[in-house]
Coordinates of all heavy atoms in Angstrom, one line a residue:
M1 N -15.2 -10.2 22.9 CA -15.0 -9.1 21.9 C -14.3 -9.7 20.7 O -13.1 -9.8 20.7 CB -14.3 -8.0 22.6 CG -14.2 -6.8 21.6 SD -13.5 -5.3 22.4 CE -14.9 -4.7 23.2
K2 N -15.1 -10.1 19.7 CA -14.6 -10.8 18.6 C -13.7 -9.9 17.7 O -12.7 -10.4 17.2 CB -15.8 -11.2 17.7 CG -16.5 -12.4 18.2 CD -17.6 -12.9 17.3 CE -18.3 -14.1 17.8 NZ -19.4 -14.5 17.0
V3 N -14.0 -8.6 17.6 CA -13.2 -7.7 16.7 C -11.8 -7.6 17.3 O -10.8 -7.6 16.6 CB -13.9 -6.4 16.5 CG1 -13.0 -5.4 15.8 CG2 -15.2 -6.5 15.8
K4 N -11.8 -7.4 18.6 CA -10.5 -7.2 19.2 C -9.6 -8.4 19.0 O -8.4 -8.3 18.7 CB -10.6 -6.8 20.7 CG -9.4 -6.5 21.4 CD -9.6 -6.0 22.8 CE -8.3 -5.5 23.4 NZ -8.5 -4.9 24.7
L5 N -10.2 -9.6 19.2 CA -9.4 -10.8 19.1 C -9.0 -11.0 17.6 O -7.9 -11.5 17.3 CB -10.2 -12.0 19.5 CG -10.5 -12.1 21.0 CD1 -11.4 -13.2 21.3 CD2 -9.2 -12.3 21.8
F6 N -9.9 -10.6 16.7 CA -9.6 -10.7 15.3 C -8.4 -9.8 14.9 O -7.4 -10.2 14.2 CB -10.8 -10.4 14.5 CG -10.6 -10.3 13.0 CD1 -10.5 -11.5 12.3 CD2 -10.5 -9.2 12.3 CE1 -10.3 -11.5 10.9 CE2 -10.3 -9.1 10.9 CZ -10.2 -10.3 10.2
L7 N -8.4 -8.6 15.4 CA -7.3 -7.7 15.1 C -6.0 -8.1 15.8 O -5.0 -8.0 15.1 CB -7.7 -6.3 15.6 CG -8.8 -5.6 14.9 CD1 -9.2 -4.3 15.6 CD2 -8.5 -5.3 13.4
E8 N -6.1 -8.6 17.0 CA -4.9 -9.1 17.6 C -4.3 -10.3 16.9 O -3.1 -10.4 16.7 CB -5.3 -9.5 19.1 CG -4.1 -9.9 19.9 CD -4.4 -10.1 21.3 OE1 -5.5 -9.8 21.8 OE2 -3.5 -10.6 22.0
K9 N -5.1 -11.2 16.4 CA -4.6 -12.4 15.7 C -4.0 -11.9 14.4 O -2.9 -12.4 14.0 CB -5.8 -13.3 15.4 CG -5.4 -14.6 14.7 CD -6.6 -15.4 14.5 CE -6.3 -16.7 13.7 NZ -7.5 -17.5 13.4
M10 N -4.6 -10.9 13.7 CA -4.0 -10.4 12.5 C -2.7 -9.8 12.7 O -1.7 -10.0 12.0 CB -5.0 -9.3 11.9 CG -5.5 -9.6 10.6 SD -6.7 -8.3 10.0 CE -6.4 -6.9 10.8
Y11 N -2.6 -9.0 13.8 CA -1.3 -8.4 14.2 C -0.2 -9.4 14.5 O 0.9 -9.3 14.0 CB -1.6 -7.5 15.4 CG -0.3 -6.8 15.8 CD1 0.1 -5.6 15.3 CD2 0.5 -7.3 16.8 CE1 1.3 -5.0 15.7 CE2 1.7 -6.8 17.2 CZ 2.1 -5.6 16.6 OH 3.2 -5.0 17.0
R12 N -0.6 -10.4 15.3 CA 0.4 -11.4 15.7 C 0.9 -12.2 14.5 O 2.0 -12.7 14.5 CB -0.2 -12.3 16.8 CG -0.4 -11.6 18.1 CD -0.7 -12.5 19.2 NE -1.2 -11.8 20.4 CZ -0.4 -11.1 21.2 NH1 0.9 -11.0 21.0 NH2 -1.0 -10.5 22.3
Q13 N 0.1 -12.4 13.6 CA 0.5 -13.2 12.4 C 1.2 -12.3 11.3 O 1.6 -12.8 10.3 CB -0.8 -13.8 11.7 CG -1.4 -14.9 12.6 CD -2.6 -15.5 12.0 OE1 -3.3 -14.9 11.2 NE2 -3.0 -16.7 12.5
G14 N 1.2 -11.0 11.6 CA 1.8 -10.1 10.6 C 1.0 -10.0 9.3 O 1.6 -9.8 8.3
R15 N -0.2 -10.2 9.4 CA -1.1 -10.1 8.2 C -2.1 -9.0 8.3 O -3.3 -9.2 8.2 CB -1.8 -11.5 8.1 CG -0.9 -12.6 8.0 CD -1.6 -13.9 7.9 NE -2.3 -13.9 6.6 CZ -3.0 -15.0 6.2 NH1 -3.1 -16.0 6.9 NH2 -3.7 -14.9 5.1
I16 N -1.6 -7.8 8.4 CA -2.4 -6.6 8.4 C -2.6 -6.1 7.0 O -1.6 -5.8 6.3 CB -1.8 -5.5 9.3 CG1 -1.6 -6.1 10.7 CG2 -2.6 -4.3 9.4 CD1 -0.9 -5.2 11.7
P17 N -3.8 -6.0 6.6 CA -4.1 -5.5 5.2 C -3.8 -4.0 5.0 O -3.6 -3.3 6.0 CB -5.6 -5.7 5.0 CG -6.2 -5.8 6.4 CD -5.1 -6.2 7.3
Q18 N -3.8 -3.6 3.8 CA -3.5 -2.2 3.5 C -4.5 -1.2 4.1 O -4.2 -0.1 4.4 CB -3.5 -2.0 2.0 CG -2.2 -2.4 1.3 CD -2.3 -2.0 -0.2 OE1 -3.3 -2.3 -0.9 NE2 -1.3 -1.4 -0.6
A19 N -5.7 -1.7 4.2 CA -6.8 -0.8 4.7 C -7.8 -1.7 5.5 O -8.0 -2.8 5.1 CB -7.5 -0.1 3.6
I20 N -8.3 -1.1 6.5 CA -9.4 -1.8 7.3 C -10.5 -0.8 7.5 O -10.3 0.4 7.9 CB -8.8 -2.2 8.7 CG1 -7.6 -3.2 8.6 CG2 -9.9 -2.8 9.5 CD1 -7.0 -3.5 9.9
L21 N -11.7 -1.2 7.2 CA -12.9 -0.3 7.3 C -13.6 -0.7 8.6 O -14.0 -1.8 8.8 CB -13.8 -0.5 6.2 CG -15.1 0.3 6.2 CD1 -14.8 1.8 6.2 CD2 -16.0 -0.1 5.0
F22 N -13.6 0.2 9.6 CA -14.3 0.0 10.8 C -15.7 0.6 10.6 O -15.9 1.8 10.5 CB -13.6 0.7 12.0 CG -12.3 0.1 12.3 CD1 -11.1 0.5 11.6 CD2 -12.2 -0.9 13.3 CE1 -9.9 -0.1 11.9 CE2 -11.0 -1.4 13.6 CZ -9.9 -1.1 12.9
Y23 N -16.7 -0.3 10.6 CA -18.0 0.1 10.2 C -19.0 -0.4 11.3 O -18.9 -1.6 11.7 CB -18.4 -0.4 8.8 CG -19.8 -0.1 8.4 CD1 -20.1 1.1 7.9 CD2 -20.8 -1.1 8.5 CE1 -21.4 1.4 7.5 CE2 -22.1 -0.9 8.1 CZ -22.4 0.4 7.6 OH -23.7 0.7 7.2
G24 N -20.0 0.4 11.7 CA -21.0 -0.1 12.6 C -21.7 1.1 13.3 O -21.5 2.2 13.0
K25 N -22.5 0.7 14.3 CA -23.3 1.7 15.0 C -22.4 2.7 15.7 O -21.2 2.3 16.1 CB -24.2 1.0 16.0 CG -25.3 0.2 15.4 CD -26.1 -0.4 16.6 CE -27.1 -1.4 16.0 NZ -27.8 -2.2 17.1
E26 N -22.9 3.8 16.0 CA -22.2 4.8 16.7 C -22.0 4.4 18.2 O -23.0 3.9 18.8 CB -22.9 6.2 16.6 CG -22.1 7.3 17.1 CD -22.8 8.7 16.8 OE1 -23.4 8.8 15.7 OE2 -22.7 9.6 17.6
G27 N -20.9 4.6 18.7 CA -20.7 4.4 20.2 C -20.3 3.0 20.5 O -20.3 2.6 21.7
V28 N -19.9 2.2 19.6 CA -19.5 0.8 19.9 C -18.0 0.6 20.0 O -17.5 -0.5 20.4 CB -20.0 -0.2 18.8 CG1 -21.5 -0.3 18.9 CG2 -19.5 0.1 17.5
G29 N -17.2 1.7 19.8 CA -15.8 1.6 20.0 C -14.9 1.4 18.7 O -13.8 1.0 18.8
K30 N -15.5 1.8 17.6 CA -14.7 1.7 16.3 C -13.5 2.5 16.4 O -12.4 2.0 16.0 CB -15.6 2.1 15.1 CG -16.8 1.3 14.9 CD -17.6 1.8 13.7 CE -18.1 3.2 13.9 NZ -19.2 3.4 14.8
R31 N -13.6 3.7 16.8 CA -12.4 4.6 16.8 C -11.3 4.1 17.7 O -10.2 4.1 17.4 CB -12.9 6.0 17.2 CG -11.8 7.1 17.2 CD -12.4 8.4 17.4 NE -11.4 9.5 17.3 CZ -10.6 9.9 18.3 NH1 -10.7 9.4 19.5 NH2 -9.7 10.8 18.1
E32 N -11.8 3.6 18.9 CA -10.8 3.1 19.8 C -10.1 1.8 19.3 O -8.9 1.7 19.5 CB -11.5 2.8 21.2 CG -11.2 3.8 22.2 CD -11.8 3.5 23.5 OE1 -11.4 2.5 24.1 OE2 -12.6 4.3 24.0
M33 N -10.8 1.0 18.6 CA -10.2 -0.2 18.0 C -9.2 0.2 17.0 O -8.0 -0.4 17.0 CB -11.3 -1.1 17.4 CG -12.1 -1.9 18.3 SD -11.2 -3.3 18.9 CE -11.3 -2.9 20.7
A34 N -9.5 1.1 16.2 CA -8.6 1.6 15.1 C -7.4 2.3 15.8 O -6.2 2.0 15.4 CB -9.3 2.6 14.2
F35 N -7.6 3.0 16.8 CA -6.5 3.7 17.5 C -5.6 2.7 18.2 O -4.4 2.8 18.1 CB -7.2 4.6 18.5 CG -6.2 5.3 19.5 CD1 -5.4 6.3 19.0 CD2 -6.1 4.9 20.8 CE1 -4.5 7.0 19.8 CE2 -5.2 5.6 21.6 CZ -4.4 6.6 21.2
E36 N -6.1 1.7 18.8 CA -5.3 0.7 19.5 C -4.5 -0.1 18.5 O -3.3 -0.4 18.7 CB -6.2 -0.2 20.3 CG -6.7 0.4 21.6 CD -5.6 0.9 22.5 OE1 -4.6 0.1 22.6 OE2 -5.7 1.9 23.0
L37 N -5.1 -0.4 17.3 CA -4.3 -1.1 16.3 C -3.2 -0.3 15.8 O -2.0 -0.8 15.6 CB -5.2 -1.6 15.2 CG -4.5 -2.3 14.0 CD1 -3.9 -3.6 14.6 CD2 -5.5 -2.7 12.9
A38 N -3.5 1.0 15.5 CA -2.5 1.9 14.9 C -1.3 2.1 16.0 O -0.2 2.0 15.6 CB -3.1 3.2 14.6
K39 N -1.7 2.2 17.2 CA -0.7 2.4 18.3 C 0.2 1.1 18.4 O 1.4 1.2 18.5 CB -1.4 2.6 19.6 CG -0.5 3.2 20.6 CD -1.2 3.9 21.8 CE -2.0 2.8 22.5 NZ -2.5 3.3 23.8
A40 N -0.4 -0.1 18.3 CA 0.4 -1.3 18.3 C 1.3 -1.4 17.1 O 2.4 -1.9 17.3 CB -0.6 -2.5 18.4
M41 N 0.8 -1.0 16.0 CA 1.6 -1.1 14.8 C 2.8 -0.2 14.8 O 3.9 -0.5 14.3 CB 0.8 -0.8 13.5 CG -0.2 -1.8 13.2 SD -1.4 -1.3 11.9 CE -0.3 -1.2 10.5
L42 N 2.7 0.9 15.6 CA 3.8 1.9 15.7 C 4.6 1.7 16.9 O 5.7 2.4 17.1 CB 3.2 3.3 15.6 CG 2.6 3.7 14.3 CD1 1.8 5.0 14.4 CD2 3.6 3.7 13.1
C43 N 4.2 0.9 17.8 CA 4.9 0.7 19.1 C 6.3 0.2 18.9 O 6.5 -0.8 18.1 CB 4.1 -0.3 20.0 SG 4.9 -0.7 21.5
L44 N 7.2 0.8 19.5 CA 8.6 0.4 19.3 C 8.9 -1.0 19.9 O 9.9 -1.6 19.5 CB 9.6 1.4 19.9 CG 9.4 2.8 19.3 CD1 10.3 3.8 20.0 CD2 9.8 2.8 17.8
K45 N 8.1 -1.5 20.8 CA 8.3 -2.8 21.4 C 7.6 -3.9 20.6 O 7.6 -5.1 21.0 CB 7.9 -2.8 22.9 CG 8.8 -2.0 23.7 CD 8.4 -2.1 25.2 CE 9.4 -1.2 26.0 NZ 9.0 -1.2 27.4
K46 N 6.9 -3.5 19.6 CA 6.2 -4.4 18.7 C 5.3 -5.4 19.4 O 5.5 -6.6 19.3 CB 7.2 -5.2 17.8 CG 8.2 -4.4 17.1 CD 7.6 -3.8 15.9 CE 8.6 -3.0 15.0 NZ 8.0 -2.0 14.2
Q47 N 4.4 -4.8 20.2 CA 3.5 -5.7 20.9 C 2.0 -5.2 20.8 O 1.8 -4.0 20.6 CB 3.9 -5.8 22.4 CG 3.9 -4.5 23.1 CD 4.4 -4.6 24.5 OE1 5.5 -5.2 24.7 NE2 3.6 -4.2 25.5
Y48 N 1.1 -6.2 20.9 CA -0.3 -5.8 20.9 C -1.0 -6.4 22.1 O -0.9 -7.6 22.3 CB -1.0 -6.4 19.7 CG -2.4 -6.0 19.5 CD1 -2.7 -4.9 18.7 CD2 -3.4 -6.6 20.2 CE1 -4.0 -4.5 18.5 CE2 -4.7 -6.2 20.0 CZ -5.0 -5.2 19.2 OH -6.3 -4.8 19.0
P49 N -1.6 -5.7 23.0 CA -1.8 -4.2 22.9 C -0.4 -3.5 23.1 O 0.5 -4.0 23.6 CB -2.7 -3.9 24.0 CG -2.7 -5.0 25.0 CD -2.3 -6.2 24.2
A50 N -0.4 -2.3 22.6 CA 0.8 -1.5 22.7 C 1.3 -1.3 24.1 O 0.5 -1.3 25.1 CB 0.6 -0.1 22.0
C51 N 2.6 -1.0 24.3 CA 3.1 -0.9 25.7 C 2.7 0.4 26.4 O 2.7 0.4 27.6 CB 4.7 -1.0 25.6 SG 5.4 0.5 24.9
D52 N 2.4 1.4 25.7 CA 2.0 2.7 26.3 C 3.2 3.4 27.0 O 3.0 4.4 27.6 CB 0.8 2.6 27.3 CG -0.5 2.5 26.6 OD1 -0.6 2.9 25.4 OD2 -1.4 1.9 27.2
N53 N 4.4 2.9 26.9 CA 5.5 3.5 27.6 C 6.6 3.9 26.6 O 7.5 4.7 27.1 CB 6.1 2.5 28.6 CG 5.2 2.3 29.8 OD1 4.6 3.2 30.3 ND2 5.0 1.0 30.1
C54 N 6.7 3.4 25.4 CA 7.8 3.8 24.5 C 7.5 5.2 24.0 O 6.5 5.8 24.1 CB 8.0 2.8 23.4 SG 6.7 2.8 22.2
H55 N 8.5 5.7 23.3 CA 8.4 7.1 22.8 C 7.3 7.2 21.8 O 6.5 8.2 21.8 CB 9.8 7.4 22.1 CG 9.8 8.8 21.5 ND1 9.8 9.9 22.2 CD2 9.9 9.2 20.2 CE1 9.8 11.0 21.4 NE2 9.9 10.5 20.2
S56 N 7.1 6.2 20.9 CA 6.1 6.2 19.9 C 4.7 6.2 20.6 O 3.8 7.0 20.2 CB 6.2 5.0 19.0 OG 5.2 5.0 18.0
C57 N 4.5 5.4 21.5 CA 3.2 5.3 22.2 C 2.9 6.6 22.9 O 1.7 7.1 22.9 CB 3.2 4.1 23.2 SG 3.1 2.5 22.5
K58 N 3.9 7.2 23.5 CA 3.7 8.5 24.2 C 3.3 9.6 23.2 O 2.4 10.4 23.5 CB 4.9 8.9 25.0 CG 5.0 8.0 26.3 CD 6.3 8.4 27.1 CE 6.4 7.4 28.3 NZ 7.6 7.6 29.0
L59 N 3.9 9.6 22.1 CA 3.6 10.6 21.1 C 2.2 10.4 20.6 O 1.4 11.4 20.4 CB 4.6 10.5 19.9 CG 6.0 11.0 20.0 CD1 6.8 10.7 18.8 CD2 5.9 12.5 20.3
I60 N 1.8 9.2 20.3 CA 0.4 8.9 19.9 C -0.6 9.3 20.9 O -1.6 9.9 20.7 CB 0.3 7.5 19.5 CG1 1.1 7.2 18.3 CG2 -1.2 7.1 19.2 CD1 1.3 5.7 17.9
K61 N -0.3 8.9 22.2 CA -1.2 9.3 23.3 C -1.4 10.8 23.4 O -2.5 11.3 23.6 CB -0.7 8.7 24.6 CG -1.7 8.6 25.7 CD -1.2 8.2 27.0 CE -0.5 6.8 27.0 NZ 0.0 6.4 28.3
D62 N -0.3 11.5 23.2 CA -0.4 13.0 23.4 C -1.1 13.6 22.2 O -1.8 14.6 22.3 CB 1.0 13.6 23.4 CG 1.7 13.3 24.7 OD1 1.0 12.9 25.7 OD2 2.9 13.5 24.8
F63 N -1.0 13.0 21.0 CA -1.7 13.5 19.8 C -3.2 13.4 19.9 O -3.9 14.2 19.5 CB -1.2 12.7 18.6 CG -1.7 13.2 17.3 CD1 -1.2 14.4 16.8 CD2 -2.7 12.6 16.6 CE1 -1.7 14.9 15.6 CE2 -3.2 13.1 15.4 CZ -2.7 14.2 14.9
F64 N -3.7 12.3 20.5 CA -5.2 12.1 20.5 C -5.7 12.5 21.8 O -5.9 12.8 22.7 CB -5.5 10.6 20.3 CG -5.4 10.2 18.8 CD1 -4.2 9.6 18.4 CD2 -6.4 10.5 17.9 CE1 -4.1 9.2 17.1 CE2 -6.2 10.2 16.6 CZ -5.1 9.5 16.2
Ligands
LIG101 ZN1 5.0 1.3 22.8

């Protein structure tokens, strides 16, 4: 999964642009990719993929 690796590399290098356009066919997981990146960016443990256990991750999980 090239996109996931690309996003992970960007995150680990701290080189996340101001905006990312997720574009493609319906049903390929664009929303989930965007959601996972946003969750990792807000994760209090600063990890990708996000920990899913910190306060921030729980709030995001409950929101969506
Ligand atoms: Zn977290």
Side-chain angles (χ1 to χ4, degrees):
M1 183 175 278
K2 287 183 179 178
V3 175
K4 188 172 183 175
L5 291 174
F6 177 74
L7 292 174
E8 185 172 351
K9 186 177 174 185
M10 241 176 20
Y11 178 85
R12 292 190 192 284
Q13 293 176 341
R15 300 179 65 177
I16 300 171
Q18 278 185 311
I20 301 173
L21 178 63
F22 292 87
Y23 177 81
K25 294 180 187 174
E26 194 172 321
V28 295
K30 298 181 298 289
R31 186 174 183 269
E32 258 183 61
M33 284 285 118
F35 175 72
E36 285 302 318
L37 179 62
K39 198 163 65 169
M41 290 171 67
L42 296 170
C43 177
L44 298 177
K45 292 186 178 174
K46 305 286 183 203
Q47 62 184 52
Y48 187 98
C51 74
D52 282 334
N53 291 317
C54 72
H55 180 66
S56 179
C57 286
K58 287 178 181 173
L59 283 176
I60 294 169
K61 198 185 301 182
D62 289 346
F63 185 76
F64 287 97

